[in-house]
Amino acid sequence: MMIKVLVVEDDPMVAELNKGYLKRIDGFELVGVLHNGVDALEFMDKHPVSLLLLDVFMPKLDGLSLLQTVRTRYPSVDVIMVTAARSSSDIQTALRQGAIDYIVKPFVFERFQSALMNYRERMNLLSDETELSQAAIDGRIFAKGMRTSKVPKGIENETLQRIRSIVKQQSKPFDVQELVPLIGLSRISLKKYLDYMVEIGELYSELAYRGQGRPVTLYRYSR
């Protein structure tokens, strides 16, 4: 069973990122990319959609308003938020309106992949079995969203502590390259640590546009 996905995202670069990531995960079919909520509703009136990857900040009809309409008009469509909106009120509204996951930009492929694979497994489970045990519900549906305390491969605790100490001293948002001479790791290795710190909630990250060229990821300490 292919899961039909509609991307609703007003930033063309993020939309392309979502498309590229989606192609790397089996079981999903991209049926469209739209840039506002009004066009998304018109599309869904004419085409079958299983899953929305939905931004909050959009023209004409924002993502949270679209989500509310989807819940009443298309109750069988699931929604994963992929957005820069990180306020508690936005997150609470999305969850109350039935969003099944909430991915904050900028995000790493592993977080995106985890959300999609968990959703695919849940859909397969619910379509294959008419009755589920408590163990299946706990272990294969809800527990999938719980954060693991296991440190990913390649993350060394001593190096992590050193990075954490230096990051706490930064008085303003920083990018990876600014920390390279302070820590002595390659840019790729250092980014892996910083992205892990974002995943566990120690850092915030956001995309910053500096004139021409690709946006830069800026980090700042969250505690």
Side-chain angles (χ1 to χ4, degrees):
M1 177 186 69
M2 294 294 288
I3 297 171
K4 298 182 181 298
V5 181
L6 176 64
V7 173
V8 188
E9 166 63 62
D10 77 323
D11 186 327
M13 293 184 66
V14 178
E16 285 298 316
L17 185 66
N18 288 342
K19 287 172 57 178
Y21 280 176
L22 197 62
K23 290 179 181 179
R24 296 167 61 180
I25 307 173
D26 293 334
F28 295 90
E29 176 189 354
L30 179 66
V31 296
V33 177
L34 299 171
H35 304 298
N36 66 77
V38 172
D39 290 346
L41 289 175
E42 292 178 358
F43 182 93
M44 295 171 69
D45 283 337
K46 301 174 183 177
H47 305 87
V49 174
S50 306
L51 176 66
L52 287 183
L53 300 182
L54 179 60
D55 190 14
V56 169
F57 303 120
M58 294 185 299
K60 297 184 181 180
L61 184 67
D62 67 85
L64 294 179
S65 299
L66 173 60
L67 175 58
Q68 184 175 11
T69 303
V70 167
R71 285 281 62 81
T72 56
R73 192 184 297 186
Y74 307 103
S76 63
V77 175
D78 292 312
V79 177
I80 294 176
M81 306 303 297
V82 183
T83 178
R86 61 176 75 214
S87 73
S88 58
S89 60
D90 286 339
I91 296 170
Q92 188 175 65
T93 298
L95 294 177
R96 285 175 172 171
Q97 292 294 335
I100 61 171
D101 207 336
Y102 202 102
I103 302 174
V104 176
K105 303 175 188 174
F107 51 89
V108 295
F109 171 70
E110 288 75 15
R111 179 63 178 88
F112 184 92
Q113 180 185 45
S114 175
L116 273 290
M117 291 180 65
N118 291 343
Y119 176 74
R120 183 186 64 194
E121 181 175 346
R122 187 176 78 170
M123 289 300 97
N124 290 339
L125 180 66
L126 294 176
S127 62
D128 290 343
E129 302 186 37
T130 56
E131 292 187 358
L132 299 176
S133 66
Q134 186 69 61
I137 294 170
D138 292 344
R140 299 182 63 186
I141 298 179
F142 291 108
K144 287 297 182 181
M146 297 179 181
R147 181 194 299 165
T148 175
S149 60
K150 183 178 180 181
V151 176
K153 184 178 180 181
I155 300 293
E156 298 179 355
N157 187 62
E158 182 177 343
T159 302
L160 179 62
Q161 296 298 335
R162 182 158 54 90
I163 294 173
R164 182 177 287 131
S165 176
I166 293 175
V167 162
K168 288 180 180 179
Q169 300 172 24
Q170 306 306 306
S171 59
K172 61 181 181 179
F174 57 89
D175 62 26
V176 176
Q177 195 59 46
E178 292 177 62
L179 290 194
V180 167
L182 300 177
I183 296 173
L185 291 177
S186 70
R187 188 181 185 281
I188 294 176
S189 296
L190 179 54
K191 188 176 187 304
K192 183 175 182 179
Y193 280 89
L194 296 179
D195 287 340
Y196 170 66
M197 293 176 72
V198 171
E199 289 292 326
I200 63 177
E202 287 193 40
L203 292 181
Y204 289 125
S205 62
E206 59 187 0
L207 288 176
Y209 293 86
R210 296 175 172 175
Q212 297 182 347
R214 300 179 63 182
V216 175
T217 300
L218 296 181
Y219 302 86
R220 60 185 175 87
Y221 200 64
S222 63
R223 296 179 182 177

